[in-house]
């Protein structure tokens, strides 16, 4: 069906189209000057030492696991309440994901207490996912990591420019990954970014991105090199300049877009907090965040009831989603035997409502009225 109010909208206009056109007309469309410009923008905005563009966030996470030195026999702790890429990347390098629970319905990020509980002599790192763009408890997580000599990867795909105690998400751990997937705050269809303050990690990431080649095609075409060496096992994780040009325009728009999203969220929280039997995760957050999605969790509920409520909302022309099915319940991870009561409850009772800067007050009221009516009707 065609929804009257979709889950998200694409914040594109003639600027993205012109950027793509200009790049095509330039005669250089693979990884080149637009990628370099985008990387510099990340370095400046995130106040980080190094940024390496990637073909997507999954590849950026894969690179994070490689440069952190994870491998066969290692265990890496991660949340189950996330998209599968956050745990798949651990398996790509032969390590084993160990799922930790979330704090609860009001704070759906990974629980530092359960992280420490899951540490063994095989544990080599932690993948932290900042759900919906809201920061995990990074002080506690970094203390645990320091105590046990663990690497920390931040999956910050939900949180471009989100902050934790004045620091940008992605700059607190050892390295981080961002997503430019079509429904993200920065959208190019596909694309991503790896960032770090570690010079060796950055050098290795840049080599891994392009087959382990010592020089890139653009360097050779520009006369800065005439040949190359393969210095390590690499992959084709490059992002083309067409997408990089689009990302540059998206990044220029991002601060204003996030400011508007703050107001949208405030209206939502004001309305949703009055509904009995519903909790809005991170409702007490005071940090500057991306507000990538708007999750709500039903209390004293069950999966069937959640699904019926969603059906009613859809019938009114409002698109919703679920973020996310629990990864540890997927067939490929079920054998690990994770028991995560908080994660399982939230994944069975969470509903993601539309969230984007262009939502009007009238639309937000309609969404909240429809949601409240359905919550009261479906028992």
């Amino acid at each position: 069906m065609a929804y009257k109010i979709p889950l998200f909208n694409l914040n594109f206009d003639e600027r993205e189209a012109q950027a793509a056109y200009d790049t095509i007309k330039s005669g250089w469309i693979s990884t080149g000057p637009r990628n370099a410009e985008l990387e510099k923008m990340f370095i400046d905005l995130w106040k980080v030492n190094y940024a390496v563009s990637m073909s997507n966030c999954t590849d950026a996470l894969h690179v994070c696991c490689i440069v952190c030195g994870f491998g066969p026999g290692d265990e890496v702790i991660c949340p189950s309440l996330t998209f599968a890429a956050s745990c798949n990347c651990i398996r790509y390098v032969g390590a084993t994901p160990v799922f930790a629970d979330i704090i609860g319905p009001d704070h759906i990020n990974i629980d530092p207490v359960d992280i420490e509980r899951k540490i063994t002599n095989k544990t080599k790192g932690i993948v932290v996912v900042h759900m919906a763009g809201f920061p995990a408890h990074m002080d506690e997580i970094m203390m645990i990591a320091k105590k046990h000599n663990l690497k920390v990867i931040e999956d910050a795909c939900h949180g471009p420019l989100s902050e934790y105690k004045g620091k940008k998400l992605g700059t607190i751990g050892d390295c981080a990954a961002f997503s430019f997937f079509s429904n993200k705050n920065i959208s190019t269809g596909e694309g991503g970014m790896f960032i770090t303050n570690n010079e060796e990690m950055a050098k290795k990431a840049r080599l891994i991105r392009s087959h382990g080649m010592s020089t890139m095609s653009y360097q050779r075409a520009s006369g800065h090199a005439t040949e190359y060496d393969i210095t390590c096992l690499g992959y084709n994780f490059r992002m083309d300049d067409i997408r990089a040009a689009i990302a540059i325009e998206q990044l220029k728009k991002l601060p204003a877009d996030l400011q508007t999203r703050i107001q949208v969220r405030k209206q939502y929280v004001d309305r949703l907090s009055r509904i009995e039997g519903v909790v809005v995760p991170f409702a007490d957050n005071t940090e500057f965040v991306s507000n990538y999605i708007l999750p709500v969790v039903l209390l004293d509920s069950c999966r069937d009831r959640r699904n019926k409520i969603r059906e009613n909302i859809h019938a009114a022309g409002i698109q919703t989603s679920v973020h996310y099915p629990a990864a540890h319940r997927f067939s490929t991870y079920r054998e690990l035997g994770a028991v995560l009561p908080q994660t399982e409850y939230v994944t069975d009772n969470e509903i993601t409502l539309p969230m984007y800067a262009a939502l009007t007050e009238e639309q937000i009221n309609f969404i909240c009225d429809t949601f409240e009516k359905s919550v009261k009707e479906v028992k």
Side-chain angles (χ1 to χ4, degrees):
M1 65 177 293
Y3 293 102
K4 291 187 291 187
I5 304 178
L7 189 66
F8 84 104
N9 75 331
L10 196 58
N11 186 20
F12 272 27
D13 55 33
E14 68 281 352
R15 284 170 284 186
E16 284 81 5
Q18 187 65 49
Y21 175 81
D22 289 344
T23 302
I24 293 169
K25 291 290 287 183
S26 75
W28 193 270
I29 61 172
S30 58
T31 309
R34 297 288 78 79
N35 273 268
E37 182 179 350
L38 178 63
E39 290 169 351
K40 182 62 165 58
M41 290 177 75
F42 262 78
I43 288 169
D44 292 344
L45 283 170
W46 270 259
K47 295 180 172 58
V48 69
N49 291 338
Y50 307 100
V52 183
S53 63
M54 294 282 166
S55 47
N56 53 61
C57 185
T58 302
D59 292 339
L61 287 168
H62 188 174
V63 169
C64 285
C65 288
I66 295 172
V67 301
C68 282
F70 304 154
D74 295 338
E75 294 178 348
V76 180
I77 297 172
C78 63
S80 172
L81 184 61
T82 183
F83 184 63
S86 310
C87 42
N88 286 350
C89 64
I90 297 167
R91 276 193 166 170
Y92 294 158
V93 295
T96 300
V98 175
F99 293 107
D101 213 348
I102 58 171
I103 294 170
D106 60 339
H107 195 295
I108 56 176
N109 274 324
I110 195 168
D111 184 358
V113 174
D114 202 38
I115 290 176
E116 190 142 35
R117 190 182 295 129
K118 299 289 173 64
I119 291 173
T120 71
N121 60 3
K122 295 181 180 180
T123 307
K124 294 297 187 292
I126 306 165
V127 175
V128 178
V129 179
H130 301 292
M131 271 294 295
F134 291 84
H137 289 333
M138 291 305 294
D139 282 350
E140 292 92 328
I141 291 169
M142 295 307 294
M143 285 177 61
I144 292 167
K146 184 177 181 180
K147 176 181 175 182
H148 296 278
N149 192 29
L150 306 177
K151 298 294 185 185
V152 176
I153 296 170
E154 292 182 78
D155 181 342
C157 70
H158 289 190
L161 296 185
S162 290
E163 295 183 357
Y164 175 77
K165 298 185 177 180
K167 296 180 180 178
K168 296 284 190 298
L169 298 188
T171 67
I172 303 167
D174 292 278
C175 53
F178 292 85
S179 174
F180 306 154
F181 185 61
S182 62
N183 62 5
K184 294 298 189 289
N185 297 88
I186 304 169
S187 175
T188 65
E190 290 285 0
M193 188 68 70
F194 166 95
I195 68 170
T196 185
N197 283 312
N198 183 300
E199 183 178 8
E200 289 305 310
M201 285 186 174
K203 286 180 178 178
K204 191 168 185 180
R206 200 167 289 279
L207 287 171
I208 293 167
R209 177 181 68 170
S210 188
H211 304 285
M213 296 166 68
S214 57
T215 62
M216 295 280 285
S217 297
Y218 187 71
Q219 293 172 286
R220 297 193 298 278
S222 302
H224 298 297
T226 57
E227 55 186 39
Y228 63 87
D229 185 21
I230 299 293
T231 61
C232 67
L233 177 65
Y235 303 84
N236 183 357
F237 289 167
R238 300 184 300 262
M239 181 166 68
D240 61 79
D241 261 21
I242 299 172
R243 286 181 173 84
I246 294 170
I248 288 166
E249 298 306 317
Q250 286 277 286
L251 197 49
K252 290 175 184 176
K253 293 178 179 179
L254 186 61
D257 182 84
L258 298 191
Q259 287 290 346
T260 305
R261 282 173 181 256
I262 290 172
Q263 299 307 313
V264 171
R265 177 177 170 81
K266 184 178 183 302
Q267 293 177 50
Y268 262 128
V269 173
D270 287 347
R271 283 295 313 274
L272 295 172
S273 61
R274 304 175 205 164
I275 304 174
E276 187 177 350
V278 174
V279 63
V280 182
F282 313 111
D284 59 352
N285 176 78
T286 58
E287 306 270 7
F288 180 82
V289 297
S290 62
N291 286 303
Y292 164 56
I293 55 174
L294 198 290
V296 294
V297 180
L298 305 169
L299 301 177
D300 300 316
S301 188
C302 65
R303 184 186 181 92
D304 285 346
R305 178 171 179 258
R306 187 273 307 276
N307 291 344
K308 289 176 183 175
I309 290 171
R310 287 189 69 205
E311 288 171 7
N312 287 355
I313 298 171
H314 292 173
I318 302 164
Q319 185 181 16
T320 73
S321 187
V322 172
H323 286 82
Y324 290 97
H328 74 282
R329 285 174 163 173
F330 290 138
S331 299
T332 188
Y333 289 113
R334 206 173 295 150
E335 64 188 32
L336 298 177
V339 178
L340 308 171
Q342 295 291 347
T343 296
E344 290 174 6
Y345 182 83
V346 167
T347 56
D348 284 347
N349 293 282
E350 187 269 344
I351 300 174
T352 303
L353 300 177
M355 164 56 82
Y356 42 93
L359 279 173
T360 66
E361 184 176 356
E362 181 181 12
Q363 287 175 317
I364 295 168
N365 285 333
F366 177 62
I367 293 165
C368 291
D369 288 343
T370 304
F371 176 68
E372 182 174 15
K373 182 174 183 288
S374 188
V375 168
K376 290 178 177 177
E377 287 178 352
V378 180
K379 301 299 183 185

